[in-house]
Each structure stands twice: as structure tokens, then as C-alpha cells.
Amino acid sequence: MTTTLPSEASIIIIGGGVIGCSLAYHLGELGQKDVLLLERKQLTSGTTWHAAGLVAQLRATRNLTQLAKYSADLYTTLEAKTELATGYRQTGSVSLALTKERLEELQRNAAMASIFGVEAEMLSPAECLKLYPHLNLEGVEGGVHVPGDGQADPVNVTMALAKGARMAGVQIVEQVKVTGITQTDGRVTGVTTEQHPVRAPIVVNCAGMWAREVGQMVSVNVPLHAAEHFYVVTEPLADLAKDLPTLRVPDEEAYFKEDAGKLLIGAFEKTAKPWGMDGIPESFCFDELPEDLDHFTPILEKAIARIPMLESAGIATFFNGPESFTPDDRYLLGEAPELKNFYVAAGFNSIGIQSAGGAGKALAEWIVGGHPPFDLWDVDIRRMTSFQSNKTYLFNRTKESLGLLYQDHFPYRQYETSRGIRKSPLHARLQELGACFGEVAGWERPNWFLSKEEREAGKSPAYDYSWGRQNWFANAAAEHHAVRNGLAFFDLSSFAKFRVEGQDAEAVLQHICANDIDVEPGRIVYTQWLNERGGIEADLTVTRLSERAFLIVTAPGVHQRDWNWLTRHIPEDAHCIATDVTSGEAVIALMGPKSRDFLQSLTPDNLSNDAFPFATARAIELGMANARAHRITYVGELGYELYVSADMALHILDTLLEAGQNWGLTPAGMHVLDACRIEKGYRHFGHDISDEDHVIDAGLSFAVKTDKAETPYGPFIGREAVLRVKTEGPKTRLLHFQLHDPDPLLFHNEPIYCDGKQVGYLTSGSYGHALGAAVGMGYVPRAPGEKLAELENKTYEIDVAGKRIEATASIKPLYDPQSARVRA
């Protein structure tokens, strides 16, 4: 049937895979009219048609888990609505552990599942065999059973979604290739095709493994790369049990799916094969890639040993097809920061079928509502930086990212590929001091340091991963105690830094910031940027440099997000400009009770508490250079962040190191920074606070000034939502927790029990060396009229890998609750 291509639409979707069709379906469900989906070839071509169709429920966060659960529910009901079968079966899944470390990972996952509303049951080896009777149990330590997991037919699911979309009035046109995207004044206006242009105020890039190239049409960063993905399908097996659960053996890099008496064996091998470096052929549609038996044979040999009946099985199909992967194995969703009303849903890392229903629903609600329906930061495209679309970077990272899906998900695990891209001016010197580097947004940052004795003994800084105390635990303890009791320094050069200047700069920032930034030059203001619902969009500091100039400092992981929020909220008629100055200044943080005396010994400027109080910034002489010292902290101690021109940073550091030999100056890494901030109760965006968390619930009302003067652009964003919750009282509250037992470790997502009932989970966790036990933060419910102090008087336990550990809860920070040390 030939369909006429319209000349305009309200929303254009590029790509007819399962993601594009899910978005079309959900936009139709929301009553959106004139939605147009364009597919270059045929629906499901490219990747969807050859997907394995596994539908797992448990994801890394609560909201992503809810989206995966929604996908399963949708596929169950879609058949009745559209009269097209989806092939969905709730078979359950079993994941095996072949090591003690993997078993603890599964135990922690099972505990996390309970707080996310997913049924998960730990299994003994014998119970694994009962659910999957063909197993060889050699080396099996145990497993986990998720009965709600299932399997679906990818093509049938997509066709049912497409039919449902058409039933709602969505127009789907195949065999039409988008050749370009039009824009005006930073806003998308439509697409060009091989037939004619189509106008539309909203365009969505659901182009699968072509999404990077589609983004490049308008200089939008969509970092993903295709990789070869292998599976084999056996001949019918006469003795194969029916309705077997999906079996995953991540320690052997394989999964098994029973289908109509056959067994599909797929792989997530440790070192993958990126594909399409020279571009995807124009004719590519339902194509297969060449077989590579040498590559797949090691996986197959382990599979045969694990399921002995495979030894005599014939192979009916050896399949190799491309799937796209992102640099961090999380998909890309949301409005592109580079272009208004241009949205992306791509890079699903081989979990497109299980993600499609929920992702399509969430993005449809985002487009219609103008904001994410809930916290989607884990998959928000704004987390990516521009260099990550570099082809060489993606090629190298994809070799690792595919396999990481099945590797041990140890805490603090670092990527090994595509490293060394962004380095501070201090990098080489820190390397000499024994730094073990981690990576955030491409920045190489010291996570911990070897001791002098270890360096002299010839040791190299490297991780020995585990779920227990890792090899750097003692090193971090020494760094931690230096921060708390003496003198330490951190390299914080990766901080994102934005200058905001102009005669309207103050008014613009007063509108964006919840706190009052109408302060004297030299003052530092801690503030949040809120959305209209009172949720936290950013958590940062604003330093007033002069009457017309301000410096915003935020974390490197939210660099793109915060820059996007800032620039999109500067009115077009405002005399105000923002400049990203991140790379222009290095930042050395001197922290600890000795920091004032030490720094005073190196500068003629007066650093006394009266002359240089907390939350102020001033220029000082240091060595033969100048620095701008900010008296501020993220570790909860007296300290100074030294902002230094990048070209002078190494001189400043060497000056500090030489003088610091007599003061016990200790280099400290990001792991200790994180542990100290959790002890002190400082929030971290993406863990403790998000756009879904109300600023009052997060305990940050002190940083909100509802009575500040209204700006020419209106009151500060979110003011009404803040006033409403202040009147009604918060329904949840972030608390601080400390385990009574000093041995267990906390990371995050551990369930919280209150008076024997599960009430929430930890948003952050680490070991508090100054307090002598693991510490964390998490939200608990508050009953109407309940005093916040009453929350502390209940009995709390934290579930650590299936064991409940008693914990102390506190409204105030557990370390230095009055901030006397910070203000000393």
C-alpha cells in the first residue's frame, strides 16, 4: 500500500524499530494528532528484527526498573488491544553465580529488587537445578530467580505497537529516508526527505545504529557505536524441557533461551567486535554479518560444558548481527541540549525489547509534558559530552562496553578503554605521587594514592576489585584521617565552571537560583536550581566576582546538563552572557584543620577567620603566582579551594608540595572525598537529589529564600512548589544512617527497614573512617503531622546482601552536625 507523505506534522519520529514504534504508540495514547513516523526501509529492519527478545525487569534504579516492568505489562495487554500476537511469555529467569563475589552481587541485586517491587528469590545450587534441569552444577555457588521476567517476539511486538499507533491516528510511512533536519534560531523545524521536506515543531531521533549520523545532521551529540552480536540456535532437542526460564551465566558470558524445543545461546563476550567504522552500507536492512566461529567458539565450549546435552546438538543457525552500544551501557533519552525540540531515543545496548515499552511511554510523556515524568538522569542524553561522539573513542570503548553487561559489577569499577583523554595540568605530578586514576566525563581524576612506602617498594596503583574491602581500603583510611585530623589536598580541576556576566546577570541568576545571590562581591552562595515542581535540577555554588560577574561551579558529571539549564533560562532580551571556562583554571583543594596555618605560612595575605570567613573568596599571592582562594568545602572541614590559571597550576602545586613536607600534606582521592561528604551529609546530584526530589524533602530548605525580591523575569523558578510543601510539610525526608556493626560496607541501593518494615533505600553509601562504620543517606516516609525529630526515634536496619544490620538514623549530619569545624 502506497502512503502519501504529508508536508507537515506535529511530531516526526525518525526510525521504525521497536523504540520508534513504541514512542508512536504512546504519543497516540496521549491523544497527539498528526504524528508521523518515517522509516528508511521497513519496520524492524536494522536491529529489532534479530533481537533475542528477552524481557528482564530488574534494572539499576527504581525508575528504570518500573519502566522495564511496564514493558512486560504492555506486551501482555497489547495483543488484546491490537489483535496481533506479541509472543510474550512470562517464563522467569535464573542467573547463576560461579564465584563468591558474583553470589554477593546477586544477593545485593535480590535485596534491591524487593525495594523496586520485583520478586526475586535467592537459590541454592540444587534449587537452580530444579528450575533448570539440564544444568551441570560444577562450580555453581548459587543463583537468583526472577519469576516475572519473560520473552517476547521482537517483530511481533513492533508490529503490534505500530498497529496500535495507527489505530490512534499515527501515520507510518516506510521506504522514506530522512536526508536532513531543518532548524531556525536553535529550534528544530522539520526534516528533508528524498521526496520533499516535512515541517514539524518536534523531531525525534529513534534511528537505532544510525542515530549518531542522524544527530550529526544538526550537530547533536549521539554517542553510540554498532558491534557484532552473536548467537546460535540449535536444532530441535527432543529431551529439552518446555517453558524453561531464561538462563544467564554471566561468569561464562552466555545466556540461554528456550524457544519451540530449540535452544538459543547468546553471548556478551569480554572483548567485543565493533562494526561499521567506515559507515553502515546504504542498502543495509535485514542483513546478517559474516560468521566468526573463532570468536564465538570459546563461549560455545563453555556453554556445552554447562549444559551437556548441547554436546550432541546440531546448530541450525549461526547468527551475527549489529547492535548499538553507548559508552556507559545506558541508553540515550530526552531532549538534545544542542537543539530545542529535537529528542533522542537510541543506544539501547542489546536491551531494546525490554526497554522499549517503558522508554516509549516516558519519552512520550516528556514530549507532551515538557519535562521528564520522573527522574531519568541515568539515561538522560545530557550526561554525555561532545568528545564522546568521536568515532575512535567509540570504537575502542565498544570493545569493552558490550562485555561489561555480563562482567562483575563491582563497586568502583573503572573503564579500561578510551582513557587518558582529559587531564588536569597536575596529572603528571599526581601520577608521580602514586595516583590511581578513575574517569568521569572523560576526566582522569585520582581516586586513591599509593603510600610512599608502596611506591618505594615498586608497587603500581591498580584496583583489585571485590564486594569487600578492596586493596585500597587502608590507603583511603590514611587519606581520610589526614583530611579529618591534619592536612590533605585534592585535585578538583575537573569541576565545571561557568562565568555569567552582564548588567542583567544578577537578575537572571536570581530567577534561576533558589537561594539569594544578591550578595557582596567575594561571597559564595550554595544553591539549587529548581524546576516548577520544586524538584532539584542542579546543586552548585555561585561566587560573586564583581557587580556584574559571577562564577558557577558544579560537578563534572553534570557539566552538560547544568550548562544546558543555564543557557536555556537566560532570556533572549537579557544583557547577560554565559561562558564555559572549565579548562581555564585548575582547582587545588586544601582541606583539614591545619589548612589555614599551612596556607598562611605561604602567603602574605591575612587568612584569619575575621578577615577571610567561610563562604567567601579572595585573591591571594601564593609562591610566585596568584590564586583565587574560595573558603568552601565538600568534605566538611576547614579548607580552601585554590582556583589557579591552568598555566600556573603546576607551579602552585609544587610550591604546596615542597612546603607541605614539614606539615604532613597528604594527597587524597575521589573515594575519600565521597566518603567524607557522606559523613558530613552533603548531597550528591544523581544519587541523593534529582529533578524528582523536592528540595524540602532533601533537607535543603536552608538554601532556599522564598522571601527574596522578585526579578524582572518573575519569582525564582519553583517558588510556588516550595511554599506549598513548606505549608503542607514534606511527605518524605532524607536521613543520615550509620551502621552499628563496623564491618559491612555500603554502596547505595541497600534497603532501609523502619520498625521492621521496608520503607526505602540508601541513595548513597560509603565507609566513614572518622565515624568507624559505614554510613549512608536515604529517604524515609513521613506521616502527616509527624515531627521530623520523631523519625530519628524509630528502629532502623539496613539490608546488606540479605542481612539486616542495625543502624542509627539522624536528621542532622552524623559528623560535625553544627559545622563548627567548617567555620572555625
Side-chain angles (χ1 to χ4, degrees):
M1 181 177 68
T2 302
T3 305
T4 302
L5 183 66
S7 59
E8 60 182 335
S10 61
I11 301 171
I12 293 174
I13 301 168
I14 304 172
V18 68
I19 305 300
C21 289
S22 177
L23 176 60
Y25 172 86
H26 287 96
L27 286 170
E29 287 286 287
L30 293 175
Q32 293 301 294
K33 305 300 181 185
D34 301 322
V35 177
L36 173 65
L37 185 151
L38 299 176
E39 164 55 43
R40 62 183 288 274
K41 295 291 186 181
Q42 295 172 249
L43 297 185
T44 78
S45 63
T47 296
T48 296
W49 71 277
H50 62 72
L54 305 184
V55 182
Q57 297 184 74
L58 187 59
R59 305 291 294 138
T61 66
R62 179 192 62 192
N63 286 342
L64 293 185
T65 298
Q66 295 307 312
L67 291 182
K69 289 177 65 179
Y70 170 80
S71 292
D73 293 340
L74 174 66
Y75 302 158
T76 302
T77 60
L78 197 59
E79 184 171 337
K81 181 171 183 177
T82 65
E83 298 182 344
L84 287 180
T86 62
Y88 181 74
R89 297 182 297 139
Q90 194 175 64
T91 59
S93 71
V94 173
S95 296
L96 301 184
L98 305 186
T99 67
K100 297 290 186 185
E101 293 286 4
R102 180 74 73 174
L103 187 63
E104 177 159 351
E105 178 181 326
L106 296 184
Q107 289 168 334
R108 287 178 173 268
N109 286 348
M112 182 177 71
S114 65
I115 60 178
F116 295 164
V118 173
E119 182 183 355
E121 174 191 14
M122 290 303 301
L123 303 173
S124 67
E127 289 169 327
C128 293
L129 184 62
K130 186 176 181 180
L131 282 170
Y132 210 96
H134 307 296
L135 280 175
N136 171 8
L137 288 179
E138 183 180 356
V140 175
E141 297 284 346
V144 66
H145 178 219
V146 182
D149 285 355
Q151 303 171 7
D153 184 297
V155 172
N156 287 355
V157 165
T158 306
M159 292 305 183
L161 289 167
K163 182 176 180 182
R166 289 188 179 103
M167 291 166 62
V170 174
Q171 187 172 354
I172 297 175
V173 184
E174 299 176 271
Q175 303 296 338
V176 173
K177 181 182 178 181
V178 171
T179 57
I181 299 166
T182 56
Q183 59 177 311
T184 301
D185 297 329
R187 191 180 297 270
V188 73
T189 58
V191 303
T192 58
T193 75
E194 293 172 321
Q195 293 186 21
H196 58 73
V198 184
R199 298 184 301 275
I202 296 172
V203 175
V204 190
N205 179 359
C206 299
M209 58 185 171
W210 290 272
R212 177 181 176 274
E213 285 67 32
V214 170
Q216 286 181 324
M217 294 176 179
V218 278
S219 300
V220 167
N221 176 43
V222 186
L224 54 80
H225 198 293
E228 299 183 33
H229 192 48
F230 301 86
Y231 60 74
V232 299
V233 181
T234 68
E235 299 283 357
L237 300 169
D239 297 328
L240 188 67
K242 304 301 181 185
D243 298 320
L244 285 170
T246 298
L247 176 67
R248 296 181 179 89
V249 191
D251 294 309
E252 294 176 341
E253 303 170 352
Y255 63 89
F256 304 81
K257 169 191 172 183
E258 182 271 327
D259 187 13
K262 306 172 188 176
L263 206 57
L264 181 151
I265 305 148
F268 286 97
E269 63 276 23
K270 185 175 182 180
T271 303
K273 294 182 64 179
W275 177 78
M277 189 66 176
D278 298 325
I280 302 170
E282 176 63 28
S283 61
F284 199 90
C285 188
F286 295 104
D287 297 60
E288 298 183 29
L289 303 181
E291 296 180 1
D292 189 341
L293 283 171
D294 290 340
H295 186 80
F296 192 75
T297 293
I299 307 291
L300 191 57
E301 289 175 344
K302 288 183 283 188
I304 292 171
R306 185 58 54 198
I307 302 180
M309 69 185 304
L310 290 174
E311 189 169 5
S312 58
I315 302 297
T317 304
F318 186 108
F319 184 82
N320 180 12
E323 299 198 25
S324 58
F325 292 81
T326 63
D328 59 5
D329 275 334
R330 289 178 275 143
Y331 55 87
L332 307 171
L333 200 72
E335 187 180 15
E338 300 93 339
L339 183 62
K340 291 180 181 178
N341 286 347
F342 183 76
Y343 291 81
V344 177
F348 280 81
N349 305 288
S350 201
I351 57 167
I353 305 303
Q354 78 176 44
S355 304
K361 181 177 188 292
L363 187 57
E365 292 174 355
W366 190 336
I367 292 169
V368 173
H371 57 77
F374 40 76
D375 175 26
L376 290 168
W377 176 236
D378 270 353
V379 294
D380 194 316
I381 193 171
R382 290 174 295 173
R383 73 187 186 276
M384 293 295 175
T385 58
S386 58
F387 82 88
Q388 290 177 298
S389 263
N390 176 282
K391 257 190 173 180
T392 302
Y393 168 89
L394 288 169
F395 180 83
N396 291 325
R397 176 57 62 84
T398 301
K399 294 178 183 178
E400 179 183 18
S401 58
L402 181 149
L404 282 177
L405 291 168
Y406 270 27
Q407 297 300 301
D408 289 275
H409 298 98
F410 288 121
Y412 311 109
R413 182 160 189 159
Q414 302 297 315
Y415 292 104
E416 297 176 0
T417 55
S418 298
R419 292 288 299 271
I421 301 166
R422 305 176 80 181
K423 298 178 180 179
S424 91
L426 314 176
H427 183 89
R429 192 71 76 245
L430 299 173
Q431 197 166 28
E432 293 169 6
L433 292 171
C436 184
F437 291 96
E439 179 257 329
V440 170
W443 283 100
E444 295 293 328
R445 309 191 305 172
N447 278 346
W448 55 276
F449 287 83
L450 290 173
S451 66
K452 182 179 178 181
E453 293 75 20
E454 288 172 317
R455 298 199 307 273
E456 290 175 346
K459 286 191 69 175
S460 298
Y463 281 92
D464 183 8
Y465 295 115
S466 83
W467 286 95
R469 284 163 164 72
Q470 296 186 13
N471 60 313
W472 49 268
F473 187 84
N475 303 67
E479 295 170 23
H480 199 121
H481 290 305
V483 172
R484 293 291 185 230
N485 304 311
L487 181 65
F489 78 91
F490 300 86
D491 177 16
L492 301 183
S493 302
S494 59
F495 275 168
K497 314 168 196 78
F498 314 138
R499 267 184 86 100
V500 181
E501 302 173 83
Q503 67 183 37
D504 295 331
E506 178 189 306
V508 168
L509 289 177
Q510 284 287 67
H511 178 59
I512 297 173
C513 298
N515 210 337
D516 189 355
I517 56 91
D518 183 11
V519 294
E520 293 296 318
R523 289 288 306 279
I524 304 171
V525 179
Y526 170 59
T527 187
Q528 285 73 46
W529 294 347
L530 307 180
N531 54 45
E532 296 290 356
R533 304 169 304 286
I536 300 169
E537 294 287 347
D539 181 74
L540 41 80
T541 62
V542 178
T543 301
R544 187 159 202 166
L545 302 175
S546 67
E547 288 297 325
R548 294 189 175 193
F550 298 81
L551 181 72
I552 294 168
V553 179
T554 189
V558 291
H559 186 149
Q560 181 70 266
R561 177 194 180 102
D562 291 358
W563 175 255
N564 177 241
W565 187 266
L566 170 66
T567 54
R568 290 199 176 187
H569 284 87
I570 298 177
E572 292 183 4
D573 60 348
H575 293 275
C576 176
I577 60 170
T579 309
D580 187 341
V581 295
T582 299
S583 299
E585 288 185 319
V587 183
I588 304 168
L590 278 176
M591 294 290 150
K594 296 181 180 179
S595 59
R596 177 189 287 122
D597 292 342
F598 171 65
L599 194 58
Q600 186 66 82
S601 71
L602 301 175
T603 181
D605 298 284
N606 186 356
L607 303 184
S608 68
N609 200 36
D610 290 337
F612 196 171
F614 178 70
T616 59
R618 57 178 297 186
I620 64 170
E621 293 183 12
L622 195 53
M624 293 183 287
N626 297 318
R628 192 179 63 256
H630 292 214
R631 190 176 162 193
I632 198 74
T633 178
Y634 195 49
V635 296
E637 295 293 341
L638 172 67
Y640 307 84
E641 292 174 0
L642 304 175
Y643 288 73
V644 188
S645 175
D647 56 341
M648 300 181 185
L650 194 57
H651 166 70
I652 294 288
L653 178 60
D654 286 342
T655 300
L656 297 175
L657 290 174
E658 183 178 358
Q661 295 179 42
N662 299 322
W663 290 78
L665 178 62
T666 301
M670 294 300 108
H671 291 337
V672 163
L673 185 86
D674 192 53
C676 287
R677 71 95 186 163
I678 295 174
E679 277 190 328
K680 188 64 179 73
Y682 292 151
R683 281 60 165 155
H684 181 270
F685 188 90
H687 282 95
D688 314 302
I689 50 179
S690 73
D691 55 6
E692 191 179 4
D693 298 311
H694 196 283
V695 67
I696 304 299
D697 296 2
L700 296 172
S701 58
F702 67 90
V704 180
K705 299 296 185 287
T706 56
D707 58 350
K708 69 177 181 177
E710 188 169 319
T711 76
Y713 313 109
F716 72 83
I717 302 167
R719 181 177 183 272
E720 293 304 315
V722 171
L723 291 173
R724 184 171 60 253
V725 172
K726 278 192 170 185
T727 300
E728 299 171 354
K731 295 180 181 179
T732 63
R733 185 57 159 81
L734 191 69
L735 297 184
H736 311 89
F737 295 93
Q738 178 180 338
L739 297 185
H740 291 178
D741 185 341
D743 289 332
L745 299 180
L746 298 175
F747 303 111
H748 70 282
N749 279 345
E750 292 87 355
I752 301 169
Y753 285 81
C754 177
D755 294 338
K757 181 182 178 183
Q758 192 180 100
V759 295
Y761 58 93
L762 295 186
T763 54
S764 282
S766 188
Y767 199 85
H769 291 279
L771 295 174
V775 291
M777 288 184 272
Y779 290 88
V780 300
R782 171 187 172 272
E786 185 176 25
K787 296 184 184 305
L788 292 180
E790 294 178 44
L791 294 175
E792 298 177 324
N793 299 325
K794 299 180 179 182
T795 301
Y796 289 94
E797 297 169 301
I798 308 298
D799 184 326
V800 181
K803 297 179 181 179
R804 295 192 198 177
I805 311 297
E806 291 184 10
T808 297
S810 175
I811 290 288
K812 293 183 177 180
L814 295 161
Y815 181 82
D816 188 24
Q818 304 302 325
S819 292
R821 298 172 70 88
V822 170
R823 300 177 182 275

